[in-house]
Amino acid sequence: MPSGQPPHPAVRKHLMVPGQPRPQRREPMSVSRVQRWVMSVLAATTIMHLSAGLVFAAVFVDKQSSRIGLLVIAATFGMIAMAAALLIHQRRPFSPWLLLGLVPALVGCWFVF
């Protein structure tokens, strides 16, 4: 390198270089895949809100048997929420992810008992 010229600066990877297109992702997100994710998130959060509402009701009920019943129903709806999300993704509904649906009922047990 001649001594009068500055060294060539390193190309930063986060910048666009005109002659070099950016590499494409291996698996591009298709419209149907995005729709599946949106539907599963909407279904799971909507049903989980129902489950949380049942837990909230269980906290303010006076009768102990009613509290237990509402927590059981909340746990069932939480598991249904997770199963719905799994089925939308065409996965088998019986998986360890199903246990995530028990979280609202377990939090409710903390406040009820």
Side-chain angles (χ1 to χ4, degrees), residues 49-93:
H49 274 89
L50 174 64
S51 177
L54 289 168
V55 168
F56 187 73
V59 171
F60 292 104
V61 170
D62 292 330
K63 198 172 179 185
Q64 185 71 15
S65 62
S66 298
R67 289 179 180 174
I68 294 170
L70 285 171
L71 289 175
V72 168
I73 295 170
T76 305
F77 272 114
M79 293 175 72
I80 288 171
M82 295 312 297
L86 289 169
L87 286 172
I88 289 172
H89 284 283
Q90 299 174 348
R91 306 271 186 217
R92 57 186 181 93

Side-chain angles (χ1 to χ4, degrees), residues 6-72:
H8 184 66
V11 177
R12 298 183 199 162
K13 294 188 180 216
H14 68 279
L15 299 176
M16 186 176 90
V17 179
Q20 301 171 346
R22 296 186 78 168
Q24 296 294 322
R25 293 180 63 190
R26 291 184 192 144
E27 295 179 27
M29 289 284 269
S30 65
V31 173
S32 62
R33 187 171 179 172
V34 172
Q35 287 175 339
R36 210 176 302 136
W37 273 103
V38 169
M39 282 300 300
S40 66
V41 168
L42 283 174
T45 55
T46 302
I47 302 171
M48 284 296 232
H49 274 89
L50 174 64
S51 177
L54 289 168
V55 168
F56 187 73
V59 171
F60 292 104
V61 170
D62 292 330
K63 198 172 179 185
Q64 185 71 15
S65 62
S66 298
R67 289 179 180 174
I68 294 170
L70 285 171
L71 289 175
V72 168

Side-chain angles (χ1 to χ4, degrees), residues 78-79 82-83 86 93-102:
M79 293 175 72
M82 295 312 297
L86 289 169
F94 301 108
S95 81
W97 286 102
L98 206 59
L99 297 175
L100 194 61
L102 295 175

